[in-house]
Amino acid sequence: MIGLYCPGNSLLHRMPAGAKLALLVVAILAMTVFVRTPVAVVVTVALVASSFALARISWRVAFAQIRPVLWMTAIIGAFQLLTTSPARAVVVCGVLLVSVALAALVTVTTRVTDMLDALTRALNPLRRIGVNPERVSLLLALAIRCVPLLTQIVHDVGEARRARGVSWSTTALVTPVLVRALRTADAMGEALAARGVDDD
C-alpha cells in the first residue's frame, strides 16, 4: 500500500507536503518521549483515528496501511510480555502501530511527487557537500515503486504455483521471485540508462 494516494479536499490533503513530513517527524519523536502508559496510547490512537476521519479516509484503507506490520507487532508484543510487563507491551506496540498509521496518513493524503519535491527542496543546502537532491529523490521514488511491485511479483508467483498444484516449498517460491525481481531490476536499469540518467 506504500505510495497509495487517496484524492480528497480535506485540510490534510491541502496541507503542504513539507509541513506534513515535518509534523510527522515531530509527532513520532513526541510519542517516543511522552507516551509512557496504556492510557496515553489510547488517547493517541483516538487522535490518529480522528485524523483519518478528518481526511475522510475509510476504515478499510486505514486498516490496510497497518495490516502488513501486525505480525511483527505481535512478535514484539509477545517478547515484551515475556521480558517486561503487559503495560510496557501495550505502550511499545501502540507507539509502533500509531507511528505506522501516521506515516500512512501522510502517504494517503499526499502525492508521491509532492513528497519528493519537498525532499528535494530540503536537501538543496547539501549540494555544497556533493549531495545531489534530484538523485536522492529518484532513488526514493524507485524504492516506493518497487515495494508494491515486489509484492505483486510474490503474489503472481504464488498464484502460479497454486494453479499448478505445486506443494509448499520455500525454494520453489523464492527462486522464481528472485529471478523475476532481477529481470525487473535490469529492465528498470535499461530504461533509466535510455533516458540518460547518470550520464554525467
Side-chain angles (χ1 to χ4, degrees):
M1 303 297 288
I2 295 178
L4 171 67
Y5 170 70
C6 297
N9 194 37
S10 69
L11 176 63
L12 288 173
H13 283 85
R14 297 194 304 270
M15 187 180 295
K20 280 187 278 191
L21 292 173
L23 286 174
L24 173 64
V25 173
V26 171
I28 292 176
L29 290 176
M31 280 193 300
T32 59
V33 174
F34 298 109
V35 178
R36 297 294 184 183
T37 65
V39 174
V41 171
V42 172
V43 172
T44 306
V45 168
L47 290 174
V48 174
S50 299
S51 299
F52 272 95
L54 178 64
R56 299 183 181 87
I57 304 299
S58 72
W59 67 268
R60 291 184 180 85
V61 173
F63 178 73
Q65 306 305 306
I66 63 172
R67 184 172 53 194
V69 299
L70 289 179
W71 65 270
M72 181 178 66
T73 305
I75 294 174
I76 294 174
F79 178 76
Q80 291 292 325
L81 284 173
L82 292 173
T83 58
T84 57
S85 65
R88 181 61 182 168
V90 170
V91 171
V92 171
C93 294
V95 169
L96 173 61
L97 288 177
V98 170
S99 298
V100 172
L102 281 174
L105 181 60
V106 172
T107 300
V108 297
T109 59
T110 312
R111 291 182 176 86
V112 173
T113 52
D114 293 339
M115 285 192 285
L116 295 179
D117 288 343
L119 177 63
T120 300
R121 290 193 297 271
L123 293 177
N124 265 330
L126 299 182
R127 288 184 185 274
R128 301 173 185 174
I129 60 175
V131 175
N132 187 328
E134 288 79 12
R135 184 165 299 176
V136 173
S137 297
L138 175 61
L139 290 175
L140 182 58
L142 290 174
I144 292 172
R145 176 67 187 98
C146 285
V147 171
L149 185 59
L150 185 58
T151 301
Q152 186 62 43
I153 290 174
V154 174
H155 177 268
D156 290 346
V157 170
E159 288 292 321
R161 288 178 62 256
R162 283 190 287 272
R164 294 184 179 93
V166 179
S167 60
W168 167 254
S169 168
T170 303
T171 303
L173 177 66
V174 172
T175 301
V177 167
L178 183 59
V179 170
R180 288 189 59 179
L182 291 175
R183 287 178 178 172
T184 302
D186 285 340
M188 292 178 67
E190 291 173 359
L192 290 172
R195 286 164 175 75
V197 176
D198 218 21
D199 279 349
D200 55 344

